[in-house]
Amino acid sequence: MPFTVFLSHSMKDATIVNTLYSYLKQSGINVVTSQSFNPASRISIQDQIAGFIGSADCVLAFLTHSDKKRDSVYQEIATAQTYRKMMVLIVEKGVTLPDQLIGLRHIEYDRNN
């Protein structure tokens, strides 16, 4: 069974996420996002996303300047913590992490570099 990564992100970060998505897929990694849900399913979108996170081996969460509220990303991080998933935050340079996320592994990136 291939390694599965759940990518948590704002829709405003689609360009960078699509690039990473393609790279991971080419590397043989199964990639799932919140957009992988089945709209025809009787299971709610939130429950489907929780299921994706629960079955993932790792969660990569993008925290960027594009989405100031980050509500959906924070909810997905909380779900990953509930499932005790390996998690890596990808944090845009200059974004301040909330106190409850400071101790988590993170990678800082500069959008301009």
Side-chain angles (χ1 to χ4, degrees):
M1 183 174 223
F3 191 82
T4 299
V5 171
F6 181 85
L7 293 179
S8 176
H9 64 91
S10 164
M11 291 308 296
K12 295 176 183 176
D13 292 317
T15 302
I16 190 168
V17 169
N18 288 338
T19 301
L20 180 58
Y21 180 97
S22 296
Y23 176 77
L24 293 172
K25 290 294 261 188
Q26 290 173 4
S27 299
I29 295 172
N30 185 36
V31 184
V32 187
T33 72
S34 60
Q35 299 307 302
S36 302
F37 72 90
N38 177 356
S41 175
R42 291 185 175 194
I43 301 171
S44 73
I45 293 170
Q46 292 81 8
D47 287 345
Q48 288 183 58
I49 292 170
F52 297 150
I53 293 169
S55 61
D57 297 297
C58 178
V59 173
L60 297 178
F62 284 84
L63 299 168
T64 70
H65 292 293
S66 298
D67 185 7
K68 300 295 183 204
K69 291 176 67 178
R70 302 182 195 96
D71 291 340
S72 63
V73 174
Y74 288 149
Q75 284 180 324
E76 291 165 359
I77 289 170
T79 300
Q81 289 175 316
T82 298
Y83 282 112
R84 302 181 64 79
K85 293 295 174 176
M86 175 177 32
M87 188 169 17
V88 178
L89 306 179
I90 301 171
V91 182
E92 187 172 7
K93 186 176 183 177
V95 169
T96 303
L97 291 175
D99 290 343
Q100 65 270 29
L101 300 181
I102 288 177
L104 297 177
R105 285 177 268 192
H106 67 277
I107 298 168
E108 183 177 87
Y109 84 98
D110 184 344
R111 187 179 298 261
N112 300 317
N113 186 3

